[in-house]
Amino acid sequence: MAKIQTPQPVRGTQDIFGEEQERFQHVVETFEHVRRLYGFKGVEMPVFEPTAVFARSLGETTDVVSKEMYTFEDRGGDSLTLRPEYTAGISRAFLTNGWQQHMPLKLSAHGPIFRYERPQKGRYRQFHQLDAEIIGASEATADVELLCFADQLLQELGIADGVTLQLNTLGDAESRDAWRGALVEHFQAHRKDLSEDSQDRLDRNPLRILDSKERQDRPIADSAPDIDAFLSSEAKEFFAQVTEGLDACGVAWTRNSRLVRGLDYYRHTAFEFVTDRLGAQGTVLAGGRYDGLIETLGGPATPAVGWAAGIERLGMLLTEVPEASMEIAIVPMGDEATVKALSVANQMRKTGFSADIFGSGKFKKRMARANQVGALAAIIIGEDELASGKLQFKNLASGEQTALDVPEIIEKMWELRFSDDLDDLDSELLTLEQDVPAAGEND
Ligand code: ATP
Ligand code: MG
């Protein structure tokens, strides 16, 4: 018989498992924790939208719309697109659900995103984003709050040290138009030296030449005029409020006057958190103020600001990944003991302890695995234990072993978990003490 060929995964997709999955999970859980601290409501969004949602929001000239979207016709003949970002879909939802009544609305989401790109390390065709948006807030305090959220997320993930916040302003419409005029003039003068892509951008979306990655464009982009000379006094004041807010909150930032968000509706704040630890895929979190977007979707003028971060890229930066530990390892010897093990495991889990049955292989091997998964204790069940109803309870840290019934085991487990938590707390306090300068040290 001919050998059946196993279907292969789609290029640029990932099957995330083991340590990688622990990293992924830790990023998502930390995000969920921090977004609650900031009062962001979670939102679940469709994975696909009518193509027009993205084509109109992002604009036909963007890389995403012109080259990267997964667009298809469904059986009813409608053109649909797998979401290449969250913002456009959330803005659509804001309008179609009449969420205006909840403004200012702080929303967060996370899940898969699809872009047809050349796959490489940190760049996939299905990847995953964290997303945070504030809709209906025109004040700079919203930008600051959102950046504090991003900064705290990176702090809590323990990766803030290697990541820099690059910040820019694109000004208001008036500043931006004046700047755009000067840019076009500058790029026109160097037109023949620009890459083909950038010559094309010059006609359609000149700002985007500034963040071109083509080597031949760089000197021309780098010598282009800054926006600073064109900022209106209102735009200057807005940027000053953002930077003052960041300074007041202790969020470090650097100015990058080349940083643009290419889309026409972007205003004022634009930012990226960048690291040099991921090669070419160095941007881990990016966003800005998109005051004009909701209007381009047919809604009323609505100020908004947001960011998105790649979960995989954040996961790759983690140096400490909390291990998923199993608290109790149950080791039954024999068939009858295995049935008992199932019911004991059930009782433990219902009480709130994680428990797993190590039911096959040599006794020594099973105990070794129990240690490997970081179990606090093992419950060993053999013929004697079945007869007496007292199970062997082994504290895996001390090696101490006693015969106990199930209620006694539960009591012991509470004690063990409590002292384990205390140990953790002790070591946390110790590092805190080391971080706090001794009295007088700062004078
Ligand atoms: P890049 O310049 O790396 O292509 P981008 O400007 O296209 O990024 P955004 O649209 O701002 O990225 O998306 C926000 C974040 O999503 C990025 O900072 C990055 O962390 C992540 N990201 C974007 N594209 C991918 C991808 N193909 N694979 C993995 N993560 C991605
Ligand atoms: Mg991209």
Side-chain angles (χ1 to χ4, degrees):
M1 207 175 81
K3 192 173 177 319
I4 296 171
Q5 284 261 318
T6 304
Q8 294 304 295
V10 175
R11 192 163 129 80
T13 61
Q14 316 169 78
D15 306 308
I16 305 169
F17 173 72
E19 208 245 5
E20 220 180 319
Q21 199 280 336
E22 304 277 341
R23 288 171 178 270
F24 192 101
Q25 193 64 31
H26 182 59
V27 171
V28 172
E29 279 168 12
T30 309
F31 173 73
E32 283 291 293
H33 166 68
V34 180
R35 67 100 172 152
R36 286 195 171 89
L37 297 178
Y38 281 78
F40 280 66
K41 283 198 175 17
V43 59
E44 304 296 332
M45 297 298 303
V47 167
F48 47 37
E49 293 277 351
T51 301
V53 169
F54 306 112
R56 262 206 252 153
S57 311
L58 299 168
E60 304 283 349
T61 63
T62 54
D63 282 354
V64 170
V65 174
S66 63
K67 305 186 224 169
E68 296 176 356
M69 294 206 305
Y70 278 92
T71 297
F72 59 97
E73 241 179 53
D74 72 2
R75 289 171 192 276
D78 291 327
S79 178
L80 305 183
T81 294
L82 300 183
R83 65 179 175 218
E85 59 140 54
Y86 268 110
T87 311
I90 290 178
S91 302
R92 189 276 304 149
F94 175 81
L95 292 171
T96 55
N97 294 298
W99 287 345
Q100 282 96 331
Q101 55 179 320
H102 305 295
M103 289 199 307
L105 188 58
K106 300 200 277 185
L107 294 177
S108 73
H110 60 86
I113 299 290
F114 305 85
R115 294 185 191 175
Y116 191 81
E117 299 200 70
R118 195 167 68 78
Q120 51 199 293
K121 188 181 161 225
R123 191 175 294 285
Y124 315 95
R125 289 183 174 175
Q126 175 173 340
F127 63 102
H128 300 78
Q129 274 185 350
L130 309 173
D131 187 86
E133 315 279 352
I134 305 181
I135 304 180
S138 57
E139 306 81 18
T141 47
D143 307 48
V144 174
E145 192 179 14
L146 208 63
L147 281 162
C148 288
F149 174 3
D151 182 69
Q152 185 166 346
L153 173 67
L154 301 179
Q155 301 274 356
E156 299 214 1
L157 289 171
I159 61 181
D161 273 353
V163 181
T164 325
L165 164 57
Q166 301 193 348
L167 188 67
N168 198 17
T169 175
L170 304 171
D172 45 24
E174 182 195 336
S175 322
R176 210 179 134 128
D177 288 347
W179 182 42
R180 172 197 276 263
L183 283 175
V184 168
E185 200 174 307
H186 171 81
F187 291 134
Q188 282 293 5
H190 298 89
R191 183 172 194 117
K192 60 178 190 330
D193 297 322
L194 287 171
S195 67
E196 218 172 283
D197 266 356
S198 284
Q199 294 192 17
D200 191 44
R201 289 181 186 128
L202 181 48
D203 300 324
R204 311 213 264 165
N205 197 349
L207 257 64
R208 294 214 30 249
I209 300 175
L210 286 178
D211 63 359
S212 164
K213 285 172 186 129
E214 299 275 346
R215 190 182 296 181
Q216 77 188 91
D217 293 337
R218 281 322 317 166
I220 307 169
D222 289 336
S223 61
D226 275 352
I227 192 168
D228 292 33
F230 305 93
L231 287 176
S232 66
S233 53
E234 290 82 15
K236 258 188 217 154
E237 173 59 22
F238 191 92
F239 191 52
Q241 284 171 2
V242 173
T243 57
E244 275 161 23
L246 292 177
D247 293 343
C249 298
V251 176
W253 58 277
T254 58
R255 176 78 192 276
N256 175 358
S257 58
R258 305 286 96 175
L259 195 157
V260 288
R261 308 289 291 170
L263 312 175
D264 276 346
Y265 52 73
Y266 272 101
R267 297 283 182 274
H268 296 294
T269 321
F271 55 86
E272 286 183 357
F273 285 79
V274 183
T275 175
D276 54 16
R277 284 176 48 208
L278 296 177
Q281 275 58 251
T283 306
V284 291
L285 186 154
R289 180 166 273 283
Y290 53 93
D291 287 353
L293 170 57
I294 287 174
E295 252 179 310
T296 69
L297 286 175
T302 309
V305 53
W307 55 250
I311 298 179
E312 289 86 352
R313 292 190 196 174
L314 291 172
M316 280 163 26
L317 288 176
L318 295 179
T319 49
E320 270 179 64
V321 187
E323 278 170 64
S325 63
M326 188 50 66
E327 292 173 297
I328 304 174
I330 302 176
V331 183
M333 306 305 288
D335 290 346
E336 210 179 319
T338 300
V339 177
K340 177 75 177 167
L342 280 169
S343 83
V344 173
N346 241 351
Q347 277 172 289
M348 295 304 149
R349 292 162 180 161
K350 288 202 166 130
T351 314
F353 293 105
S354 55
D356 215 347
I357 300 170
F358 293 70
S360 64
K362 292 214 176 75
F363 179 74
K364 260 198 162 160
K365 273 249 171 78
R366 298 199 219 174
M367 292 305 283
R369 272 186 53 220
N371 275 302
Q372 232 172 39
V373 299
L376 299 172
I379 299 172
I380 302 153
I381 312 174
E383 272 171 33
D384 293 350
E385 286 74 30
L386 284 173
S388 68
K390 294 244 175 194
L391 313 178
Q392 289 299 320
F393 180 82
K394 184 169 184 181
N395 176 335
L396 290 176
S398 68
E400 182 198 354
Q401 188 168 324
T402 34
L404 301 175
D405 59 23
V406 169
E408 288 167 332
I409 287 178
I410 290 172
E411 201 169 308
K412 265 269 185 265
M413 277 310 300
W414 285 120
E415 282 168 27
L416 271 186
R417 183 194 273 174
F418 185 62
S419 66
D420 195 53
D421 287 351
L422 270 188
D423 285 350
D424 287 351
L425 196 63
D426 265 354
S427 58
E428 257 173 54
L429 283 177
L430 204 66
T431 40
L432 265 180
E433 271 166 30
Q434 286 160 350
D435 286 348
V436 176
E441 214 171 87
N442 269 350
D443 298 344

